Amino acid sequence: MNGLTLWFAPDEARRRASGDPRRSLAERYRNEADYGAKVRAAALELVAERYLLEEDVEQVVEAAVARYRVALS
């Protein structure tokens, strides 16, 4: 399997400088805690729909927040 990650720009200034029409991370989320809360809510929704095990929620949130941090660097 092959894949590609095309990060969102960290902030509006870098988004505009690169010409990326997509909203930046800062335009999408207030901060890391906001992002983590939204990931957690989505993961819990997947648990309710039986697409994800409840015991895997923390691992999913931690992995997503780690990628968020990388995207900001």
Side-chain angles (χ1 to χ4, degrees), residues 16-64:
R16 289 185 185 277
S18 70
D20 190 343
R22 303 170 304 155
R23 291 184 304 152
S24 69
L25 289 173
E27 293 170 298
R28 293 168 183 270
Y29 310 104
R30 288 188 308 268
N31 52 35
E32 183 179 304
D34 181 44
Y35 177 76
K38 289 180 179 176
V39 169
R40 182 178 307 286
L44 291 173
E45 203 171 300
L46 291 173
V47 169
E49 295 172 1
R50 300 181 61 150
Y51 288 109
L52 184 67
L53 296 174
E54 189 169 359
E55 64 240 32
D56 293 336
V57 169
E58 284 308 311
Q59 182 179 359
V60 167
V61 172
E62 288 172 11

